[in-house]
């Protein structure tokens, strides 16, 4: 019995030190300990008394209010707060007060609008005062829109201004009289672009560029200042090691011009004159004309295409390959130009040495691209035939209505999708969109061969409304060969790529999904 009593005394005496007892750990998930706020929390589950005890005095609202301090009730009278808490509001009071608050808000907005475009002798009107309200409603208006009362702002030495709750950039815009949401969003966009550019620069400046990380960053677009170097790395033209890049560039450029010295004079030989003649005919048909028709650019393209055709006799030159030179050339030459738009780039002011380097870089990067899709350009172009067939099967699964509509009007996929595969959609979208598209293609494994299939599927379904509205073979074919994409920009391409990635995620590793 004595031992039982001692055990009880022991547990009573060391109740706060029992192993496993629940105590709050402050710092990670709990705020700093405050006895006023947590005093009742620690005693939320007291032990049931065995003998009657006196009931604790219930704390009054006055005691709670005296121990509570908030910014919003600074300067309020205690009795007034208590009266507001005790007052029962009726529907008429609430509706009348809400109406007055809305009216006051609309008046302030009208004043802001007048201040934005002041006349030559126009002075901003004084701040409108709140219309008088019955004494029973005054406290309610004060509690809902406290900062809109000028009399109170004048009496308060340190009023809580509305603009203090806005971000700094928004406050500046409002103060300057141009609270345009588009300007705020554009500034936020530029900050995001600057942040992405810094990430690219840091990644490229390292001694060994992490190509996997570079692909992840590049998937959603590459900033223009770092695009030339990024494309050269992602295409496999340059090594990841920074110290090896200058020597690699010099060696590759020297190798390319050795090819020109060895092969280019044979363009007039009987064995090669047909190839050269076809290249010479196709180049003026390319776009953008303002760039391609410059004599220096035409000569560069002729040399690149002819050397590639001579060095790849399995395929030789095929119409469509010529279009694949343009994006590389535009991206690399714009590094030395001030023009924002590569479509109208003038190379007449670029030095011969720079043009030679750009020509060699373009040749090698285009060769790397074609190495992955060369079956598109061999005899009978089996790669394109297979991809068009896969596109037809894929569309029949993801949008059966569009597929059935094309079939009912006897439109064959080969009649419009052959060019999509042959030119990698370059004839369907503006050049600026092609460059953005290739940012992602070079970030994707087999982007130009496999991922392009899903981009074409998303591209076709993107026009389902226009396709279903056409009820004639000729009109359907004209639509599909001249889709209205002239106004497209990076945002449209990003949406297209997102849909293509969703399709790839669903179908790429499950080929039976698109087999009937």
């Amino acid at each position: 019995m004595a031992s039982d009593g001692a055990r009880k005394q022991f547990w009573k005496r060391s109740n706060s030190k029992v192993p496993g007892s629940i105590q709050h750990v402050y710092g990670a998930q709990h705020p700093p300990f405050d006895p006023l706020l947590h005093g009742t929390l620690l005693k939320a589950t007291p032990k049931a008394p065995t003998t009657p005890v006196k009931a604790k005095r219930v704390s009054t609202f006055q005691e709670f209010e005296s121990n509570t301090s908030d910014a919003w009730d600074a300067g309020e009278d205690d009795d007034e707060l208590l009266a507001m808490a005790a007052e029962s509001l009726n529907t008429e009071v609430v509706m009348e007060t809400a109406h007055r608050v809305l009216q006051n808000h609309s008046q302030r907005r009208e004043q802001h609008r007048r201040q934005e475009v002041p006349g030559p002798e126009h002075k901003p009107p004084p701040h409108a005062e709140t219309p008088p309200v019955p004494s029973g409603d005054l406290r309610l208006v004060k509690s809902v829109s406290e900062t809109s009362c000028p009399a109170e702002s004048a009496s308060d030495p340190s009023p809580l201004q509305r603009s203090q709750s806005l971000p700094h950039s928004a406050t500046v815009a409002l103060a300057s009289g141009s609270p345009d949401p588009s300007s705020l969003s554009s500034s936020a966009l530029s900050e995001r672009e600057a942040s992405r550019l810094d990430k690219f620069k840091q990644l490229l400046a390292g001694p060994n560029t992490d190509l996997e990380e570079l692909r992840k960053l590049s998937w959603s677009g590459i900033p223009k200042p770092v695009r030339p170097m990024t494309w050269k790395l992602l295409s496999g033209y340059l090594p990841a090691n920074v110290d090896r890049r200058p020597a690699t560039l010099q060696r590759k450029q020297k190798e390319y011009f050795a090819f020109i010295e060895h092969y280019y004079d044979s363009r007039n030989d009987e064995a090669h004159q047909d190839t050269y003649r076809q290249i010479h005919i196709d180049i003026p048909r390319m776009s953008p004309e303002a760039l391609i028709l410059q004599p220096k650019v035409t000569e560069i393209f002729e040399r690149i295409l002819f050397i590639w055709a001579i060095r790849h006799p399995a395929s030789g030159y095929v119409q469509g390959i010529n279009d694949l030179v343009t994006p590389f050339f535009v991206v690399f030459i714009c590094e030395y130009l001030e023009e924002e738009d590569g479509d109208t780039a003038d190379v007449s002011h670029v030095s011969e040495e720079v043009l030679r380097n750009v020509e060699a870089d373009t040749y090698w990067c285009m060769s790397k691209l074609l190495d992955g899709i060369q079956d598109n350009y061999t005899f009978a172009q089996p790669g394109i035939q297979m991809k068009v067939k896969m596109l037809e099967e894929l569309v029949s699964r993801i949008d059966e209505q569009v597929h059935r509509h094309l079939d009912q009007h006897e439109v064959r996929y080969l009649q419009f999708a052959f060019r999509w595969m042959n030119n990698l959609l370059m004839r369907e979208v503006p050049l600026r969109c092609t460059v953005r598209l290739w940012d992602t293609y070079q970030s994707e494994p087999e982007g130009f061969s496999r991922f392009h299939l899903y981009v074409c599927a998303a591209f076709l379904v993107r026009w389902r409304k226009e396709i279903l509205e056409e009820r004639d073979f000729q009109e359907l074919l004209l639509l599909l060969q001249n889709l209205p994409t002239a106004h497209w920009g990076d945002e449209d391409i990003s949406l297209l790529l997102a849909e293509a990635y969703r399709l790839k995620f669903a179908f790429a590793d499950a080929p039976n999904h698109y087999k009937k």
Side-chain angles (χ1 to χ4, degrees):
M1 191 71 181
S3 63
D4 293 343
R7 191 179 295 111
K8 288 180 181 178
Q9 291 298 322
F10 168 77
W11 288 111
K12 277 186 179 181
R13 190 167 54 252
S14 58
N15 187 36
S16 62
K17 300 179 182 179
V18 176
S21 61
I22 300 174
Q23 297 183 3
H24 291 281
V25 179
Y26 296 95
Q29 297 180 356
H30 299 279
F33 180 76
D34 186 352
L36 295 177
L37 298 176
H38 299 90
T40 57
L41 179 63
L42 297 175
K43 298 179 182 180
T45 56
K47 185 177 178 182
T50 53
T51 57
V53 294
K54 268 187 180 180
K56 290 185 179 180
R57 185 173 64 87
V58 180
S59 62
T60 64
F61 181 80
Q62 290 91 337
E63 293 175 353
F64 169 76
E65 196 272 339
S66 64
N67 291 327
T68 306
S69 176
D70 288 325
W72 55 266
D73 62 5
E76 293 285 351
D77 186 67
D78 293 346
D79 295 335
E80 186 178 359
L81 281 172
L82 290 174
M84 287 172 59
E87 184 179 5
S88 59
L89 302 175
N90 57 40
T91 307
E92 293 180 359
V93 172
V94 172
M95 294 303 294
E96 183 180 356
T97 305
H99 175 71
R100 294 186 185 280
V101 169
L102 292 173
Q103 184 179 6
N104 182 34
H105 178 69
S106 62
Q107 290 177 356
R108 292 204 324 246
R109 287 193 62 184
E110 183 64 26
Q111 290 170 4
H112 276 298
R113 196 175 294 111
R114 290 174 183 171
Q115 290 173 2
E116 287 176 10
V117 190
E121 298 181 356
H122 176 72
K123 293 184 179 180
H127 197 79
E129 296 186 0
T130 308
V133 294
S135 59
D137 299 344
L138 180 60
R139 290 189 297 269
L140 182 62
V141 174
K142 190 176 182 179
S143 65
V144 173
S145 78
E146 207 169 2
T147 60
S148 64
C149 184
E152 191 176 74
S153 300
S155 62
D156 195 345
S158 59
L160 183 64
Q161 299 294 334
R162 177 185 174 90
S163 62
Q164 291 175 356
S165 63
L166 297 172
H168 176 69
S169 59
T171 308
V172 172
L174 287 171
S176 63
S178 59
D180 187 6
S182 62
S183 64
L184 300 180
S185 62
S186 63
S187 63
L189 184 64
S190 61
E191 289 177 5
R192 186 168 71 247
E193 290 174 349
S195 175
R196 293 192 74 244
L197 180 59
D198 289 339
K199 290 180 180 178
F200 273 94
K201 287 182 176 179
Q202 291 174 9
L203 194 58
L204 295 172
N208 287 285
T209 303
D210 186 347
L211 295 181
E212 191 59 35
E213 187 64 26
L214 187 62
R215 287 189 181 93
K216 290 179 182 177
L217 272 178
S218 303
W219 204 99
S220 56
I222 302 171
K224 186 178 179 180
V226 295
R227 182 176 277 135
M229 178 57 67
T230 305
W231 275 26
K232 293 172 187 177
L233 287 168
L234 294 180
S235 64
Y237 172 45
L238 288 183
N241 185 275
V242 176
D243 297 331
R244 291 174 53 203
R245 289 174 194 167
T248 302
L249 276 173
Q250 187 177 2
R251 176 173 54 85
K252 285 291 189 180
Q253 290 166 1
K254 184 178 179 181
E255 187 177 352
Y256 169 72
F257 286 104
F259 292 156
I260 290 180
E261 291 180 7
H262 190 267
Y263 295 114
Y264 195 60
D265 288 339
S266 66
R267 64 188 183 278
N268 295 319
D269 294 350
E270 186 177 354
H272 301 141
Q273 62 182 359
D274 290 341
T275 298
Y276 180 75
R277 186 186 301 113
Q278 190 62 53
I279 293 172
H280 190 72
I281 292 171
D282 288 345
I283 287 178
R285 301 173 180 172
M286 296 167 59
S287 61
E289 293 182 357
L291 174 68
I292 303 299
L293 295 182
Q294 297 178 48
K296 289 184 178 181
V297 177
T298 301
E299 293 173 6
I300 288 172
F301 277 44
E302 286 179 354
R303 287 194 292 266
I304 290 173
L305 293 169
F306 183 78
I307 296 300
W308 189 90
I310 294 299
R311 287 183 48 78
H312 296 82
S315 62
Y317 172 75
V318 178
Q319 286 178 312
I321 295 178
N322 54 315
D323 283 327
L324 307 184
V325 182
T326 309
F328 287 116
F329 181 80
V330 168
V331 167
F332 297 156
I333 198 65
C334 282
E335 188 177 7
Y336 305 96
L337 297 173
E338 296 181 357
E339 289 92 339
E340 289 291 327
D341 191 0
D343 294 14
T344 59
D346 183 5
V347 302
S348 61
H349 305 295
V350 181
S351 67
E352 290 296 328
E353 183 182 358
V354 168
L355 285 175
R356 283 170 60 87
N357 294 340
V358 168
E359 179 179 346
D361 296 344
T362 301
Y363 170 81
W364 288 114
C365 289
M366 186 201 73
S367 297
K368 293 286 186 181
L369 186 160
L370 288 170
D371 286 347
I373 57 172
Q374 194 168 355
D375 61 342
N376 285 7
Y377 306 105
T378 54
F379 178 73
Q381 301 182 269
I384 292 180
Q385 302 276 354
M386 180 183 65
K387 290 184 180 75
V388 170
K389 181 63 177 175
M390 292 174 68
L391 175 65
E392 182 177 357
E393 293 175 348
L394 183 58
V395 173
S396 69
R397 302 298 289 175
I398 64 177
D399 199 327
E400 189 177 357
Q401 188 178 4
V402 168
H403 174 73
R404 198 185 315 115
H405 185 76
L406 294 174
D407 185 62
Q408 286 174 353
H409 293 86
E410 300 181 349
V411 176
R412 302 292 172 251
Y413 283 74
L414 208 59
Q415 294 168 332
F416 63 88
F418 181 89
R419 190 173 72 182
W420 297 6
M421 303 297 177
N422 192 48
N423 303 88
L424 298 177
L425 287 176
M426 281 195 60
R427 296 292 179 96
E428 320 309 319
V429 297
L431 180 60
R432 61 181 179 274
C433 296
T434 298
V435 171
R436 169 63 189 91
L437 196 63
W438 284 23
D439 287 347
T440 301
Y441 280 4
Q442 299 199 74
S443 309
E444 274 281 328
E446 299 182 325
F448 291 98
S449 56
R450 302 291 297 178
F451 188 63
H452 181 67
L453 168 69
Y454 300 99
V455 172
C456 289
F459 187 64
L460 178 62
V461 175
R462 160 69 177 78
W463 307 101
R464 75 182 311 274
K465 179 177 178 292
E466 291 82 355
I467 291 172
L468 295 176
E469 287 176 352
E470 299 294 343
R471 302 288 178 179
D472 178 70
F473 168 82
Q474 185 177 357
E475 295 299 326
L476 270 170
L477 208 55
L478 285 174
L479 170 68
L480 292 169
Q481 291 179 348
N482 299 277
L483 291 166
T485 59
H487 65 283
W488 272 31
D490 286 358
E491 187 175 343
D492 301 279
I493 294 297
S494 297
L495 292 173
L496 181 69
L497 290 167
E499 177 62 17
Y501 185 81
R502 186 187 69 83
L503 294 176
K504 179 196 171 189
F505 186 81
F507 293 97
D509 297 325
N512 289 332
H513 283 187
Y514 57 76
K515 288 182 180 177
K516 291 186 178 180

